[in-house]
Amino acid sequence: MQEWNMTQVGKLFKKMPYIVRDAENSYKDIKYVEAVFKELVSEYNIKEENIINIFSNNRDNLLHFHLVTKVTMPKESLCVNYKGDALEFTFEEYKESKSKTKYINSFMFIETFKHLGEDVLVSVFDDMIGCNGKELFISTNKENLKLFQPSSKHYRCRKVLLEKREAVEDTCTTFNIDCTKLYEELNPNLIKQVCKDLALTYKNLSYELGYKPDTINKAASTGKVSDQLRKAIDLYLENLRLSAELKDLEMIKKTLRNAMV
């Protein structure tokens, strides 16, 4: 089943993904599906933790749910009448031997964020986030990565990922994907990475921040940065960003003046 051609429309109890085909057509809302599956696992002795994904087909008059499970389930379909609705359940055992990269990839995250209206995360994942079926990671070449250069897209992407961390972690939990590595990559040794991204020496950075060089050297070597120093760096980077925007604005004004002459 090519699940990346479907759309995730909600989470069930235990945070199992509920994915539908033809999302623009009518389909049962998440509360209905939750109720159906609570009754299903209770009546037919199906363990919730063994269900990986739930798919719904919107094209047929008979509402059809397809379950991907960790254990062997009956090959024949299971027909149930629920509150006057005729429901059919079919089962598929998930095989670890299948390519998990195809099973859960960054495209599925992008589709999920589109549905959730998280357009900024759609852009960020499209630009620089990958998924290997087990975890999220920064897909951009590390040599070109500029997390602390305000003019770079990576700087803006990092800010979005930090601000939207809860949404990212929530979606990772839904897909059983680890994002620990991603957030470790987004929080490297602060002093070393800032100096690398801005082509500064530790001594240069100390002058820019108004700190003693020894303080910056120690923070770089230990990786431990005080809250006060971190705030000073944040303020310094924000000033760089605003200065760059001001230059861009002045350039636009100059271009407009020249065009009007």
Side-chain angles (χ1 to χ4, degrees):
M1 176 170 291
Q2 294 184 336
E3 54 206 78
W4 48 85
N5 288 334
M6 294 189 174
T7 301
Q8 183 181 337
V9 295
K11 295 180 299 185
L12 296 174
F13 58 112
K14 303 299 182 181
K15 295 191 174 182
M16 288 175 286
Y18 170 40
I19 303 174
V20 303
R21 188 174 75 192
D22 307 321
E24 293 182 359
N25 294 338
S26 61
Y27 56 86
K28 296 297 184 182
D29 65 30
I30 194 63
K31 290 183 178 179
Y32 178 96
V33 181
E34 284 176 344
V36 167
F37 277 87
K38 282 178 181 177
E39 185 162 314
L40 180 74
V41 298
S42 173
E43 191 167 332
Y44 293 91
N45 197 29
I46 299 172
K47 292 183 178 180
E48 299 167 7
E49 60 267 26
N50 287 331
I51 303 174
I52 297 176
N53 268 341
I54 296 167
F55 301 91
S56 175
N57 184 341
N58 297 320
R59 289 180 178 167
D60 304 326
N61 292 327
L62 178 68
L63 185 59
H64 171 224
F65 291 105
H66 183 77
L67 280 66
V68 179
T69 66
K70 295 179 182 177
V71 295
T72 303
M73 297 293 289
K75 290 185 178 180
E76 65 273 13
S77 62
L78 176 66
C79 294
V80 178
N81 190 286
Y82 178 77
K83 294 184 178 180
D85 292 332
L87 310 179
E88 180 187 37
F89 296 90
T90 55
F91 305 93
E92 172 188 348
E93 183 181 358
Y94 173 63
K95 303 291 185 181
E96 284 290 342
S97 59
K98 293 180 180 179
S99 172
K100 201 173 180 184
T101 301
K102 292 182 179 179
Y103 174 58
I104 298 291
N105 54 31
S106 58
F107 181 72
M108 288 192 71
F109 277 85
I110 290 172
E111 289 300 302
T112 298
F113 292 137
K114 283 181 181 178
H115 172 72
L116 295 174
E118 295 284 4
D119 294 338
V120 287
L121 284 174
V122 171
S123 177
V124 168
F125 270 67
D126 192 38
D127 281 342
M128 60 177 284
I129 304 300
C131 179
N132 60 11
K134 296 180 180 179
E135 61 185 3
L136 296 182
F137 57 89
I138 296 176
S139 58
T140 302
N141 188 310
K142 298 301 184 291
E143 292 302 314
N144 300 325
L145 192 62
K146 305 290 183 184
L147 293 177
F148 297 99
Q149 187 181 85
S151 60
S152 74
K153 70 177 182 180
H154 307 133
Y155 177 85
R156 295 187 291 274
C157 287
R158 177 180 182 271
K159 187 175 182 181
V160 168
L161 288 166
L162 293 178
E163 291 175 349
K164 298 285 186 177
R165 182 166 183 166
E166 185 176 352
V168 174
E169 289 179 336
D170 199 28
T171 305
C172 282
T173 299
T174 298
F175 288 139
N176 195 26
I177 296 294
D178 187 11
C179 60
T180 305
K181 178 181 178 180
L182 171 62
Y183 281 96
E184 286 176 351
E185 291 179 319
L186 293 172
N187 291 286
N189 184 301
L190 183 59
I191 303 299
K192 289 183 178 181
Q193 193 67 38
V194 167
C195 288
K196 175 180 176 293
D197 291 351
L198 300 178
L200 295 173
T201 64
Y202 295 161
K203 189 174 183 179
N204 292 150
L205 183 61
S206 69
Y207 290 153
E208 294 289 344
L209 300 177
Y211 275 74
K212 293 180 179 179
D214 288 348
T215 302
I216 300 301
N217 289 337
K218 183 178 180 180
S221 62
T222 63
K224 296 180 180 179
V225 179
S226 67
D227 290 341
Q228 186 177 6
L229 178 53
R230 191 178 298 274
K231 288 177 181 177
I233 291 173
D234 288 342
L235 183 60
Y236 171 60
L237 294 175
E238 182 65 10
N239 285 336
L240 289 179
R241 185 186 68 80
L242 292 173
S243 295
E245 287 185 357
L246 185 59
K247 286 182 180 179
D248 289 341
L249 181 59
E250 290 301 323
M251 182 64 71
I252 292 172
K253 288 181 178 179
K254 183 177 180 180
T255 302
L256 289 173
R257 285 196 297 267
N258 291 338
M260 294 173 66
V261 173

